[in-house]
Structures are given as structure tokens and as C-alpha cells.
Amino acid sequence: MDAVYHSDVSKVNEVIQIIKKMDLPTKQKQELILINKGFIETIKNDLSDNYQPDKNIVQQLKDKIFSIPNFNRFKLELYTNFMQFYDYTTNIMITKQVIHKIDQFKSDKELLAIAGILFNLLSQLVEEHHYQETAPFIAASEHLPFLPDLYFPQTGISLLKYLISYHFNKKTADLAKAEMIAQTYQITGLEDFGKGAQEIINEVKED
């Protein structure tokens, strides 16, 4: 995950080579390799607006996600990591299925994945200017408990909520709060995430 955060494709490839040498059941090994190949595609997609993700890998990931009948922890985490490969209408549909059952999820890891899903979807809706679609997902985020493990995605959701509010109301106080969160990322060591947050803020300011 550290390699993914730092967009280090070579490190993820090293992980794949390590997995290939591990003494694991074939199915588990193939699954782990697929997930890491998916991470490489997300990195390349994030680094270049013109990059076209490997359709075969993307389809395998989608097939894997939908082959799991229920939203267990593994499916939630898998979807959180690779939902950028879906268009916003599909992500809205899937996320609505998740939040419909939000009260059934109790473990911190499950709730962390759901917070990640909500953050990712809200990010996509803001970046693609579908502000009118955000309301039910903002409401769903307010059902999440305040836990230390959820602090990071909930902070990101708060930033997006301020930007969405600014889009509709043009209150400078909302924009200032969003920029404060972005600055917090920068000064606490999350430089890449802070830069990404500031880019979204700049886009919303220009809307």
C-alpha cells in the first residue's frame, strides 16, 4: 500500500515477484497477483489522463468483485480499491446497495472500506461535476461512527462536503475549511494526497 500511495510501479512489481515465489495455494496466489496488477493499473491511470487501463485486468477484477455474492470485508475492500474502473452511474448503483446495508457492518475494517467507498464516489462525482447526485452519499457518511481508524477517509469526506456546499452556496467559509484540510495533509506528511486535494479545490473554485 505504501508503494501504491507513492505511485511506485516498480515496487508493486517486486511484490508480484515475491508472491509468485510464495508457498500458497494456486487460487490465492493468482488472486493476490491480480490485485497487485490492478494496483499498477490504478497508479498508471492516476499518473496519466491519457492512460488506457489494461481491459483484461480490469475485467478480471470486475468479475472477481461480482463473483462474491455478499458484501463481506474482502469484497468491500476489493471494490474500494478498484471502483475507479467503473463509470459514475455504476458506482452510484453499487454504493447504494452498500449503504442500504450500512447498519449491518460492525467491524472497523468493514467500516473503513465503506468510508473509502463513500470518499471515492464523492470524489468522482465532484471531479465529473455531478453535484446533484451527492446528497444521499453525504447523508450515508453521517451514519459512520467516529473511530480513529476512520479518521483519514472521514477527513476526506469532510473536505468534499465543504466543496459541494461551496458549489451550491458559494460561501467562502466552506472553501476556507476545505483548504485547511488540504493544508493539514501537506504539513502532516501526506504531501501527495494534499496536492491532489488542492487540485480538486482549484477545479471547484473554477466551476
Side-chain angles (χ1 to χ4, degrees):
M1 293 310 299
D2 184 63
V4 173
Y5 173 73
H6 290 291
S7 302
D8 194 335
V9 172
S10 63
K11 285 290 185 183
V12 182
N13 274 317
E14 287 179 20
V15 171
I16 291 174
Q17 296 309 311
I18 291 170
I19 293 168
K20 288 179 178 179
K21 297 175 183 177
M22 293 175 72
D23 183 19
L24 293 171
T26 301
K27 183 179 179 181
Q28 185 180 1
K29 187 178 291 189
Q30 291 173 342
E31 189 174 84
L32 289 170
I33 291 172
L34 174 62
I35 289 170
N36 280 277
K37 285 183 176 179
F39 284 141
I40 290 173
E41 294 305 303
T42 64
I43 291 169
K44 291 180 177 179
N45 197 45
D46 289 342
L47 291 177
S48 173
D49 293 335
N50 300 319
Y51 181 73
Q52 297 298 315
D54 186 309
K55 292 181 180 179
N56 183 47
I57 292 173
V58 170
Q59 190 58 53
Q60 287 183 59
L61 287 166
K62 289 181 177 180
D63 290 344
K64 182 63 183 177
I65 291 169
F66 281 103
S67 71
I68 305 169
N70 300 312
F71 279 104
N72 57 23
R73 174 184 162 186
F74 179 65
K75 182 171 182 174
L76 289 168
E77 290 177 345
L78 202 61
Y79 177 58
T80 304
N81 288 326
F82 301 114
M83 60 190 293
Q84 66 170 271
F85 294 134
Y86 295 91
D87 59 67
Y88 84 95
T89 54
T90 303
N91 277 329
I92 284 175
M93 178 189 69
I94 298 172
T95 305
K96 281 183 176 178
Q97 294 175 18
V98 173
I99 62 176
H100 180 68
K101 302 177 180 180
I102 196 168
D103 292 334
Q104 297 178 19
F105 301 110
K106 304 298 181 183
S107 78
D108 288 5
K109 295 296 184 182
E110 288 174 334
L111 293 169
L112 177 61
I114 293 170
I117 289 169
L118 290 170
F119 170 74
N120 289 340
L121 177 57
L122 288 169
S123 295
Q124 183 180 30
L125 294 176
V126 169
E127 289 172 5
E128 298 182 14
H129 310 287
H130 299 292
Y131 295 95
Q132 298 289 349
E133 308 277 4
T134 60
F137 308 107
I138 291 174
S141 72
E142 293 169 358
H143 287 274
L144 293 170
F146 289 95
L147 300 171
D149 286 349
L150 272 64
Y151 177 76
F152 182 62
Q154 284 181 318
T155 303
I157 290 170
S158 293
L159 182 148
L160 293 167
K161 285 162 66 174
Y162 288 128
L163 291 181
I164 292 164
S165 177
Y166 175 77
H167 170 79
F168 288 116
N169 303 312
K170 293 296 185 285
K171 292 182 179 178
T172 56
D174 288 328
L175 194 62
K177 289 174 183 176
E179 291 183 324
M180 190 181 301
I181 293 172
Q183 290 168 9
T184 300
Y185 291 143
Q186 295 269 17
I187 63 176
T188 54
L190 295 170
E191 291 90 353
D192 291 344
F193 205 85
K195 289 177 183 176
Q198 190 60 54
E199 287 174 5
I200 296 175
I201 291 170
N202 293 341
E203 289 177 12
V204 174
K205 287 165 70 173
E206 294 171 2
D207 282 350

